[in-house]
Amino acid sequence: GESVGLHLPTLSVQEGDNSIINCAYSNSASDYFIWYKQESGKGPQFIIDIRSNMDKRQGQRVTVLLNKTVKHLSLQIAATQPGDSAVYFCAERGWNSGGSNYKLTFGKGTLLTVNP
Amino acid sequence: DGGITQSPKYLFRKEGQNVTLSCEQNLNHDAMYWYRQDPGQGLRLIYYSQIVNDFQKGDIAEGYSVSREKKESFPLTVTSAQKNPTAFYLCASSATNEKLFFGSGTQLSVL
């Protein structure tokens, strides 16, 4: 049967601090990565994406860093606000097992809590 | 929710019953997807469709069925064969094989 894991990695920060959320991906051939934010009971919202030919990309208050050598992705949130409290998860794009189509694989996520 | 509408928000299924979750998009996206989310887990792909009248099984298709008769609509039926249907179901669409846009989800519970 299925196992249900309830223990997400958590990060607790003070309002105004910078947050860094990490993600280890599995496929060295993945060519595109996305970060999503999901608030409780809602669907995931797109935050930022990056292609494998880049190592850094900046958005509004967010920066994504990609280290292909160690297959690591991070999301940095500047001046974290209470409204940033949510689960953040990464996704990587690679080919499906048949090699006929791209497939997105999602991580389990990190719960960010911002304390006022 | 940016043009993807899922309904209902909450759904209850009795044992042996089939239930259908609705997903409609007005983004003119070709590709649509259904994911299942369990607490503390990553999203798992149930079915996807790259074009009208065509769909493919994802990683956990057993006990589910879909149809794609219109570009805008991709309903998911949770059949009685799915023995553990309690989960949060997410529909998404994409214009390319890149970022997905998600609906607000349907929480399915078993009575």
Side-chain angles (χ1 to χ4, degrees), chain B residues 47-89:
Chain B
Y47 268 99
Y48 65 100
S49 168
Q50 300 280 24
I51 197 169
V52 175
N53 292 322
D54 186 53
F55 49 82
Q56 306 294 329
K57 292 182 179 180
D59 300 318
I60 55 164
E62 186 175 351
Y64 301 97
S65 66
V66 293
S67 63
R68 187 85 188 276
E69 297 177 1
K70 298 186 300 182
K71 187 175 186 177
E72 302 79 21
S73 179
F74 192 40
L76 173 74
T77 297
V78 183
T79 75
S80 58
Q82 172 50 246
K83 298 306 180 187
N84 185 21
T86 297
F88 191 53
Y89 290 86

Side-chain angles (χ1 to χ4, degrees), chain A residues 20-58:
Chain A
I20 300 176
I21 300 170
N22 297 303
C23 177
Y25 64 92
S26 58
N27 185 353
S28 57
S30 291
D31 64 350
Y32 174 71
F33 305 86
I34 315 171
W35 279 101
Y36 283 95
K37 171 186 179 183
Q38 187 177 24
E39 296 174 80
S40 182
K42 296 184 179 180
Q45 295 174 272
F46 170 83
I47 302 174
I48 193 167
D49 57 1
I50 187 168
R51 299 180 190 280
S52 59
N53 61 354
M54 303 171 68
D55 52 21
K56 179 179 180 179
R57 191 168 187 216
Q58 289 185 289

Side-chain angles (χ1 to χ4, degrees), chain B residues 31-43:
Chain B
M32 296 187 74
Y33 306 80
W34 274 105
Y35 287 90
R36 171 179 171 139
Q37 186 175 38
D38 293 280
Q41 301 290 312
L43 302 183

Side-chain angles (χ1 to χ4, degrees), chain A residues 8 52 75 78:
Chain A
L8 282 178
S52 59
L75 177 71

Side-chain angles (χ1 to χ4, degrees), chain B residues 6-43:
Chain B
Q6 288 187 242
S7 62
K9 188 165 179 62
Y10 301 97
L11 186 58
F12 297 90
R13 193 192 88 167
K14 296 179 182 178
E15 194 166 339
Q17 185 183 42
N18 294 351
V19 292
T20 297
L21 285 60
S22 171
C23 179
E24 303 279 330
Q25 55 103 356
N26 61 5
L27 300 169
N28 200 33
H29 287 169
D30 285 318
M32 296 187 74
Y33 306 80
W34 274 105
Y35 287 90
R36 171 179 171 139
Q37 186 175 38
D38 293 280
Q41 301 290 312
L43 302 183

